Amino acid sequence: MKEKIYTIPVNEAFKEECECPMCILEKKLENEYVDYMLGPSLMEPDSRIDTNEKGFCKRHFELLYNREENKLGLGLIIDTHLGYQLELLNKVYGNGKSVIDKDKNMPFLKSMIYKFRNKSTESGKVLDEIINILNSLENKCAICSKLDYTMDRYVDVIFYLWFKEDEFRNNFNNKKGFCLKHFHLLLEASKKYLNPKDAAIFNDNLINLQIENLKRINEEVNWFTKKFDYRNNDAPWGNSKDALPRSIQKIVGFCNLK
């Protein structure tokens, strides 16, 4: 079957020798989105609205800063993002300033009654609103949201190829499984995209593949530890020499390990 533009990245990733082909997909996307944020997005009003509201998670702020390609562009993004967040906080604080001032003069006994009854004061409600703003911000990232959306589309393509193309299914089944993050993603997505029969067929195959490869890498890490015993000095490393970084990736997904 002739490749379509949306199947090419998936097929390419599944040809790589790795512990998780979906990590290959995600890392490539992540690099593209970092480049986009420091380039074309700066001229797009919709993108600035998105970054003003969401900002970035710690990982993606680090990647954006360490790229060192457009510090001015990153500065502009941060400038308007902070301005947007400051406006939100000022609005809530300004609307609640009068009740905060009132509760500052609350009698001690009344204050303790509120405390022991676990009852929220009016100023407490203002505090809750500010906390909600911060909680919401901590769970948002303009790059993460794009990654999640596109990876979800790729999972749909994976299901399509697995059921429609023998070559891809054989390639999939001969891989080394997935990191636990993407194993989880595939299981969750099967409930969304597949009917119960197809989900059972796919997941039975997937879980067996995953368990087999978790056992493999567990054995490799185990032998890595045993090689530190002087009695195994002359024994061959086998596949265990780099088992530590590969096992970490297997657990948490792609990460930069020195």
Side-chain angles (χ1 to χ4, degrees):
M1 184 175 178
K2 187 177 179 181
E3 280 195 313
K4 296 179 173 58
I5 191 167
Y6 55 84
T7 66
I8 292 172
V10 173
N11 277 317
E12 287 180 348
F14 275 82
K15 290 175 183 176
E16 296 278 348
E17 181 66 21
C18 60
E19 290 293 341
C20 178
M22 292 182 71
C23 281
I24 301 288
L25 271 173
E26 188 171 70
K27 181 58 182 170
K28 184 175 184 295
L29 276 175
E30 185 178 58
N31 287 336
E32 290 173 357
Y33 288 143
V34 169
D35 289 340
Y36 168 74
M37 288 298 172
L38 293 174
S41 77
L42 295 169
M43 303 301 291
E44 298 176 5
D46 287 346
S47 180
R48 185 60 62 85
I49 291 171
D50 193 45
T51 56
N52 285 349
E53 179 190 346
K54 297 175 182 175
F56 302 100
C57 64
K58 178 182 176 182
R59 170 179 170 78
H60 289 130
F61 261 127
E62 289 174 349
L63 288 176
L64 288 162
Y65 183 82
N66 291 336
R67 186 63 60 91
E68 295 194 4
E69 289 181 1
N70 190 352
K71 290 291 175 65
L72 172 59
L74 181 57
L76 293 171
I77 292 172
I78 293 174
D79 179 34
T80 56
H81 171 66
L82 284 174
Y84 179 87
Q85 300 304 323
L86 182 60
E87 185 179 348
L88 284 180
L89 292 174
N90 269 330
K91 182 178 179 180
V92 174
Y93 178 66
N95 291 339
K97 185 68 168 68
S98 60
V99 295
I100 292 174
D101 288 340
K102 181 180 177 182
D103 283 355
K104 281 161 59 177
N105 297 313
M106 182 184 296
F108 176 76
L109 182 58
K110 185 178 180 181
S111 177
M112 294 306 293
I113 290 172
Y114 272 103
K115 177 70 174 175
F116 284 117
R117 289 183 179 177
N118 199 26
K119 186 177 178 182
S120 182
T121 63
E122 290 304 311
S123 64
K125 293 176 183 177
V126 175
L127 178 62
D128 287 340
E129 197 170 348
I130 292 175
I131 289 171
N132 287 337
I133 290 173
L134 296 174
N135 283 337
S136 177
L137 182 59
E138 287 175 9
N139 292 317
K140 290 177 180 177
C141 170
I143 291 179
C144 283
S145 62
K146 289 181 180 296
L147 279 174
D148 290 344
Y149 177 83
T150 309
M151 287 301 293
D152 190 57
R153 303 284 77 76
Y154 279 154
V155 169
D156 193 20
V157 172
I158 288 169
F159 291 148
Y160 170 81
L161 291 172
W162 196 87
F163 281 99
K164 296 293 184 181
E165 295 199 25
D166 292 341
E167 183 180 351
F168 178 83
R169 182 167 58 253
N170 291 334
N171 193 21
F172 181 105
N173 293 341
N174 285 314
K175 304 309 291 182
K176 296 179 178 179
F178 303 88
C179 69
L180 293 181
K181 171 187 170 182
H182 289 126
F183 175 53
H184 182 194
L185 177 62
L186 286 167
L187 292 173
E188 287 280 1
S190 70
K191 296 175 6 182
K192 176 180 178 181
Y193 289 113
L194 301 177
N195 64 55
K197 177 181 178 179
D198 285 349
I201 292 170
F202 179 83
N203 287 327
D204 183 52
N205 182 90
L206 173 65
I207 294 167
N208 276 313
L209 177 68
Q210 189 70 12
I211 289 174
E212 177 185 335
N213 281 283
L214 286 175
K215 180 181 178 182
R216 168 189 56 79
I217 201 160
N218 188 198
E219 290 172 349
E220 290 171 355
V221 173
N222 182 260
W223 181 239
F224 174 87
T225 64
K226 288 179 178 176
K227 274 290 292 174
F228 287 83
D229 186 327
Y230 73 94
R231 290 169 295 185
N232 295 319
N233 277 345
D234 297 327
W237 277 95
N239 293 325
S240 294
K241 208 160 196 176
D242 66 343
L244 220 51
R246 288 187 295 105
S247 64
I248 293 171
Q249 183 189 353
K250 204 70 168 178
I251 296 167
V252 299
F254 181 85
C255 49
N256 292 311
L257 301 175
K258 296 181 180 179

